[in-house]
Amino acid sequence: MGLRTFLTDAWSWLNYKPIMSATHDGRPHRSLAPELHATWLPDEAVRRLAAYKLMAAYDNNQAGELAALTGNEAASERREFGDASTFVDTALTHLLGKSQQIVVPGAEHASDDTPAPEAVAAAEVQQRLRAWAEAELLPLRMQAAERKAVLLGDGLYLLAWDPDKQRVRLKTYDPGFYFPVIEDDADPGDYPQRVHLAWELPEDPKRGMKARLRRITYELGPITPSTRSDEGADGQGIRQPVGDGTGGLVVERGDRYNPDSGRIERTYPWASGRTSAVTCYLTDAEWSLDDLRHGQSLDELPLDKARFRTRGDGEVLHRLDLRLDFIPIVHISNTVSDGEHFGQPTLAKVMQALDELAESDTDSARASATTGAPIIGLAGARPEVDRVTGRPKPLAVEPGTIFALADGGRMDVLDTSHQLAELRARVEEVRDRAAVNARLPAVSLGTVDPSDVPSGYALQLSLGPLDSLVDSMRLARAHKYALLLKMVQRIHQAGRAEGWAAGAPLSAQIVFGPHTPTDRTAILEEVVRGVTAGVLSLETGIRMLQDAGYPIEDARQEVERIRAGQQSEADAEPKRIASTAAEAEANNVSE
């Protein structure tokens, strides 16, 4: 009979929408996205991509337009005033804070009189990472990726070595292109061994190109003998093994064959003294959609029908050895993993409240129309007759209009102002409810008059839910950004970039600035008292001022400037004392 089943998964918070669970097996409605039913798309990704599209529709004020596709014609008249986008932008702003700073622990001690070698190395790595972040526009990349993560639940970074620029390039991708191959018994926190980035390319009649599927694959596997780019018989670039002329195969420079294990091993610059038999392979290929048969999933596409892309230097991207022992992709999850690889958007639990808010706004708009242009009933009026048709002309109410009424005539006006006031109160009630459940208090949304806050303590209490939200979001990202900075160091080492010494990468992290206003004057007084009394070091005080939002770019340089100023004052003090004494003696002589 096609009875629907009760489905619970990472996206079941959208099951209340018929467009999301229209079929008995829980698959989305075909009108939501016809491409979601493509033959190559993995079954487990269908609902995830449908959820992404729904969230994007709310962000762009198109939820009503999307609902109209399923037959809800009234939804096309829905008023959407950007509440979903406001919630997302507010959460993003508080998540990132006022600044994002790369910090390597121990670098602040490099300015000591006798700094340890570890502190000097940490300061050098910190400086190089910050220079790289400035060149790659890291804050802008983070804005793009994190907004996707807050809105959709997931964000994506891709790292790649650029031999021309001699640095690591950072790219962001839409999470809808991300298809990790996760084993059934794998832990959700484990890194996938195979990752696909895939999307369809539309048909281009002008260039005579049919609709195609592009798939970029990163895969960890055993190290194989050396290969080189070659042009196949059909003119398509392929990679062929390199022979030694005697029937044997050649290994890459720096690799060696271990007869005991029967594997080719390699020593990576970040793991000196330890060999590895694993490397990362890159494949970038396209398929014509006509060549794909039904049932061939993304992970099982036929390579004999693929057309491999070529890199700028002529290397064919078919199992190209990247000489890395990791996949250079970092997946950002908006929430702490609880058994799922993917995260949940910030608006996940308040979607129904947003729908209710849009409906209330629609009703309020309709009521305001009847209030501004009220319905008028006339009795005893003689309407003007159209001489052509002989029918009465419609009455129009305009400023200065006069109606001639017969004896006993009257005019009644329908007053809907009371209903409008109730609807506006309902809108505010639903908005406050949505803000509370999303842990975005009204003070963070800017809808509270500062004069209405009784005290700073009351303001701090009202920001408690926001603090917990930001803490959980930053916790979910802390190890991912530490991993990204570790990958940046390793790829620079693999590319033999100047100044990046071999060795284990240092631990680095991205420190987000404060997400709420701080009493900078009070913190400054606290730092001055603590440093003067000797209970706080100068470095710790500078860190506290940085966290409070003071424009201090580099804590180490700021400490050096302060100490240089103190030394100058100390050197000038004997001269000042001598000058004062000489002036006093001169005054005594004159007297």
Side-chain angles (χ1 to χ4, degrees):
M1 296 177 59
L3 297 178
R4 293 177 58 181
T5 58
F6 181 76
L7 180 64
T8 302
D9 60 2
W11 300 276
S12 58
W13 41 272
L14 278 173
N15 283 351
Y16 77 97
K17 286 185 169 295
I19 198 172
M20 185 64 183
S21 56
T23 60
H24 69 279
D25 58 353
R27 292 176 68 88
H29 195 278
R30 180 173 292 273
S31 62
L32 177 60
E35 64 272 15
L36 295 184
H37 297 267
T39 58
W40 59 269
L41 194 66
D43 291 337
E44 63 272 12
V46 172
R47 283 175 55 82
R48 174 170 66 93
L49 298 190
Y52 288 167
K53 190 156 190 176
L54 267 173
M55 298 307 300
Y58 274 85
D59 186 46
N60 295 318
N61 291 344
Q62 292 181 294
E65 178 183 347
L66 194 59
L69 296 177
T70 58
N72 186 2
E73 298 180 357
S76 60
E77 302 295 331
R78 180 183 298 176
R79 299 292 194 274
E80 298 177 68
F81 299 143
D83 293 285
S85 180
T86 299
F87 282 15
V88 170
D89 291 336
T90 300
L92 174 65
T93 300
H94 290 290
L95 166 66
L96 296 179
K98 294 184 178 180
S99 62
Q100 303 85 44
Q101 189 83 345
I102 296 178
V103 174
V104 177
E108 66 273 11
H109 299 295
S111 59
D112 296 344
D113 295 336
T114 56
E118 295 80 5
V120 176
E124 183 178 357
V125 171
Q126 178 177 275
Q127 181 181 2
R128 293 190 178 278
L129 286 174
R130 290 180 177 179
W132 167 82
E134 183 178 357
E136 282 300 305
L137 305 177
L138 180 61
L140 293 181
R141 310 285 187 192
M142 291 180 64
Q143 284 275 348
E146 287 295 357
R147 197 180 192 284
K148 291 287 187 183
V150 174
L151 173 64
L152 306 179
D154 304 286
L156 202 64
Y157 291 108
L158 173 64
L159 299 169
W161 173 251
D162 190 333
D164 295 331
K165 296 183 179 296
Q166 284 293 300
R167 72 168 185 261
V168 177
R169 302 304 305 272
L170 178 65
K171 298 181 180 179
T172 60
Y173 275 86
D174 191 292
F177 299 158
Y178 175 61
F179 300 95
V181 180
I182 303 176
E183 303 295 335
D184 294 338
D185 56 347
D187 187 271
D190 292 343
Y191 210 84
Q193 300 293 304
R194 184 179 173 92
V195 172
H196 301 298
L197 301 176
W199 60 91
E200 288 189 10
L201 301 173
E203 182 181 3
D204 190 353
K206 294 183 179 180
R207 300 171 56 189
M209 302 185 71
K210 298 182 179 180
R212 293 151 293 150
L213 168 66
R214 183 179 178 185
R215 189 190 73 180
I216 304 175
T217 301
Y218 292 86
E219 180 181 10
L220 295 178
I223 301 175
T224 59
S226 178
T227 59
R228 61 178 174 84
S229 300
D230 190 13
E231 187 173 341
D234 57 352
Q236 178 186 352
I238 58 176
R239 299 190 70 84
Q240 297 287 359
V242 178
D244 58 1
T246 62
L249 298 178
V250 178
V251 298
E252 291 284 350
R253 182 180 179 181
D255 298 349
R256 66 181 184 87
Y257 176 74
N258 188 344
D260 296 334
S261 61
R263 301 182 301 178
I264 300 176
E265 297 179 347
R266 176 183 302 163
T267 300
Y268 291 100
W270 51 84
S272 58
R274 180 171 57 88
T275 60
S276 175
V278 176
T279 188
C280 181
Y281 294 99
L282 168 63
T283 301
D284 189 349
E286 293 181 1
W287 285 264
S288 173
L289 294 183
D290 296 336
D291 294 335
L292 302 182
R293 300 192 308 271
H294 185 75
Q296 288 181 328
S297 66
L298 184 64
D299 199 40
E300 302 170 346
L301 300 181
L303 293 179
D304 58 334
K305 296 183 179 297
R307 178 168 293 274
F308 300 102
R309 291 205 168 197
T310 304
R311 204 168 59 182
D313 57 359
E315 289 287 351
V316 176
L317 302 181
H318 174 215
R319 287 188 62 83
L320 176 66
D321 189 351
L322 297 181
R323 302 190 69 82
L324 304 172
D325 61 352
F326 58 91
I327 295 178
I329 292 178
V330 178
H331 167 247
I332 300 296
S333 176
N334 187 52
T335 53
V336 177
S337 174
D338 58 349
E340 295 285 348
H341 180 78
F342 299 97
Q344 282 192 351
T346 301
L347 303 181
K349 300 300 189 295
V350 296
M351 294 299 295
Q352 297 188 45
L354 292 176
D355 287 340
E356 179 71 18
L357 185 58
E359 294 294 344
S360 299
D361 283 331
T362 303
D363 294 340
S364 178
R366 292 171 178 171
S368 63
T370 59
T371 301
I375 300 174
I376 299 177
L378 290 176
R382 296 180 179 180
E384 184 179 357
V385 177
D386 191 334
R387 296 181 179 181
V388 177
T389 61
R391 298 178 179 179
K393 291 183 178 181
L395 297 178
V397 180
E398 298 176 355
T401 302
I402 299 176
F403 294 103
L405 303 180
D407 294 341
R410 71 179 188 274
M411 180 177 67
D412 298 323
V413 179
L414 180 61
D415 184 10
T416 60
S417 59
H418 299 291
Q419 291 84 348
L420 178 60
E422 290 294 331
L423 286 172
R424 288 179 175 175
R426 174 61 177 169
V427 168
E428 294 301 325
E429 177 187 358
V430 176
R431 182 181 290 111
D432 292 342
R433 181 74 173 271
V436 169
N437 291 344
R439 291 190 288 178
L440 295 172
V443 64
S444 67
L445 295 172
T447 58
V448 172
D449 189 347
S451 60
D452 295 338
V453 180
S455 64
Y457 183 70
L459 175 64
Q460 186 176 359
L461 288 178
S462 67
L463 291 173
L466 178 64
D467 293 339
S468 64
L469 172 65
V470 172
D471 289 344
S472 63
M473 294 171 70
R474 291 183 176 180
L475 177 62
R477 292 158 169 79
H479 69 289
K480 296 297 183 67
Y481 281 112
L483 179 63
L484 185 144
L485 296 177
K486 181 185 293 185
M487 289 183 179
V488 170
Q489 298 178 62
R490 287 185 172 184
I491 297 177
H492 275 108
Q493 293 173 348
R496 295 181 174 86
E498 183 180 357
W500 295 84
L506 299 183
S507 175
Q509 57 187 348
I510 295 181
V511 178
F512 299 100
H515 65 280
T516 55
T518 55
D519 190 349
R520 296 170 58 178
T521 303
I523 293 178
L524 178 60
E525 294 177 355
E526 180 181 355
V527 170
V528 171
R529 289 197 303 267
V531 174
T532 304
V535 297
L536 288 177
S537 66
L538 184 58
E539 291 80 0
T540 302
I542 295 299
R543 281 281 187 87
M544 293 174 61
L545 295 179
Q546 277 185 314
D547 295 340
Y550 279 87
I552 301 175
E553 297 182 358
D554 191 299
R556 181 172 59 87
Q557 295 179 0
E558 189 71 17
V559 170
E560 292 177 355
R561 285 192 290 265
I562 292 175
R563 288 178 175 172
Q566 292 174 346
Q567 184 64 34
S568 298
E569 291 182 0
D571 295 341
E573 183 65 18
K575 297 180 180 179
R576 187 183 63 82
I577 295 175
S579 176
T580 303
E583 183 180 353
E585 183 178 356
N587 292 334
N588 293 334
V589 171
S590 63
E591 292 177 357

